[in-house]
Amino acid sequence: MRRPAALALATTLLLTATATAVSAAPEAPASPPAQTNLAPNEAPAAPHAPASLPAPASLAALDAPTAPVTWPIGPRPESAVQAWQGRVYVSVQGEATPGRDDGEIRTLDPATGQVSTFATGLDNPRGLAFTGKFLIATDFTRVWQIDRTGAKRVLAESTAFPHPVAALNDAVAEPGGQAVYVTEMGAREKMRDPSGTLWPVDSPQALDIPARARVYRISLSGKVTEAAAPSRRTLIHNGIALGNRPGTLLAAEFFYGNLTEIDLRTGRQSILATGFRAADGIEQATDGTVYVSSYDQGAVWRVDRAGEHPKLLLAGLGSGGTADFLLDERGKRLLIPDTTRGTVTVLPLS
């Protein structure tokens, strides 16, 4: 059952150099900025950062027609998707400690900031997908199916997968809505040094990370099959999206920062672009433009359909500030969950 939450008051990110506003910035270089520290796993070390944290003074929105706006949503939001009647749904993980079942799915009105609770009793919900009939949510080692009333059932437990699963992440619906594709991150426990920083890409530790990340196809009847085998091109799987070419997926690889196209018919995995380390969310627009966020860097870029001409769109949010976003082409905006601050940033697109 839905239970209304308190109406959230917006903090408009004005383009000024104040601690609570977005500061204007000069044109950014095409190459992604250096990474920042993060806890050993993808979740930030502070699991309950309050939604009232101010926007950092260095936050910069480039090429946006109007100032971004940020709305409080709840502790540790991860993913956003549009579902019934175009309404926006956001996964809110709650405490980082597994087993608390305090995770929720909440709705957000991007125009007013109004938030409502839609589904409760999840553990740490992450990726969201909409099949046209059901909302699908990944949750560590299981996947939920949620109907339009908020009632949920387990679509696939860990025992349904053909290989061991430790960290299911993103999800995207198959065209036609009869199945979803879900990423398993792989050996994410090996990707960071003791300080929480990603190992250098040319380090011995990088070569020691085994390739065991996969993409699974899960039918709405709960049948799980492997859709994409492990590859060093997708060493640590994170975001997943439908590619514009029929029969393809686009994957955001976390460790190297590869943007990879997966051909579901042949199994071939081809790198479109690289260097976006800690790549998290990924989406492709109808004109072929690809958008990608970095969880560690607190930044969002776009590249063209060939993976060329990277352009920085948003920077300065810091580690955990840019998770798995929603591309709303009709609304000409990105909705970007900020896991650290417990907010969603609405970034207008030019």
Side-chain angles (χ1 to χ4, degrees):
M1 296 292 291
R2 300 183 188 178
R3 50 184 175 86
L7 179 65
L9 297 179
T11 301
T12 303
L13 303 182
L14 302 176
L15 298 178
T16 60
T18 65
T20 58
V22 180
S23 59
E27 183 70 15
S31 59
Q35 69 202 42
T36 55
N37 288 347
L38 189 66
N41 288 326
E42 185 184 351
H48 238 121
S52 59
L53 278 176
S58 61
L59 179 62
L62 293 87
D63 206 30
T66 58
V69 173
T70 184
W71 301 107
I73 187 69
R76 300 177 63 242
E78 168 63 22
S79 184
V81 72
Q82 284 181 301
W84 300 275
Q85 288 80 52
R87 183 171 294 180
V88 175
Y89 294 78
V90 181
S91 58
V92 176
Q93 298 177 84
E95 291 282 357
T97 305
R100 292 180 178 268
D101 294 336
D102 60 345
E104 298 183 354
I105 309 299
R106 297 181 182 177
T107 62
L108 170 68
D109 184 335
T112 67
Q114 183 174 355
V115 175
S116 298
T117 299
F118 175 68
T120 62
L122 293 83
D123 193 358
N124 271 238
R126 292 196 167 195
L128 295 177
F130 182 57
T131 68
K133 186 176 181 180
F134 298 107
L135 190 67
I136 306 298
T138 65
D139 194 357
F140 272 142
T141 60
R142 65 173 50 154
V143 178
W144 296 97
Q145 176 180 292
I146 308 171
D147 69 20
R148 65 187 310 145
T149 71
K152 67 183 189 302
R153 75 173 187 88
V154 174
L155 178 63
E157 283 283 10
S158 61
T159 53
F161 289 79
H163 304 281
V165 294
L168 299 175
N169 196 301
D170 201 12
V172 66
E174 181 182 78
Q178 297 304 304
V180 293
Y181 295 99
V182 170
T183 58
E184 155 62 38
M185 292 189 74
R188 65 172 188 163
E189 73 281 359
K190 295 182 176 293
M191 66 184 180
R192 298 188 185 276
D193 68 19
S195 74
T197 302
L198 291 172
W199 290 108
V201 296
D202 58 351
S203 66
Q205 291 86 356
L207 293 177
D208 285 343
I209 300 173
R212 61 175 188 238
R214 292 176 167 86
V215 178
Y216 292 102
R217 181 185 183 272
I218 308 175
S219 72
L220 293 186
S221 65
K223 182 180 179 181
V224 182
T225 54
E226 184 179 275
S231 167
R232 297 202 71 81
R233 294 179 176 88
T234 47
L235 186 61
I236 305 293
H237 260 304
N238 202 304
I240 198 80
L242 295 178
N244 282 11
R245 291 200 314 119
T248 63
L249 299 173
L250 294 183
E253 191 280 323
F254 196 88
F255 183 76
Y256 291 109
N258 297 335
L259 310 185
T260 305
E261 182 184 70
I262 300 171
D263 189 320
L264 293 169
R265 293 162 295 190
T266 66
R268 180 177 177 81
Q269 301 188 30
S270 305
I271 296 174
L272 299 178
T274 193
F276 303 92
R277 298 205 74 189
D280 193 319
I282 187 169
E283 293 289 348
Q284 186 167 34
T286 53
D287 68 356
T289 301
V290 178
Y291 297 88
V292 60
S293 63
S294 167
Y295 187 89
D296 286 23
Q297 299 179 52
V300 178
W301 300 267
R302 72 169 183 244
V303 298
D304 65 21
R305 66 173 66 242
E308 303 290 350
H309 305 105
K311 183 175 180 60
L312 183 66
L313 301 180
L314 184 70
L317 279 168
S319 180
T322 48
D324 181 25
F325 58 85
L326 161 66
L327 169 61
D328 177 7
E329 287 197 78
R330 178 173 293 184
K332 297 182 179 180
R333 59 195 176 185
L334 299 178
L335 278 70
I336 309 163
D338 184 330
T339 304
T340 300
R341 295 173 182 82
T343 61
V344 173
T345 299
V346 183
L347 175 66
L349 298 175
S350 58

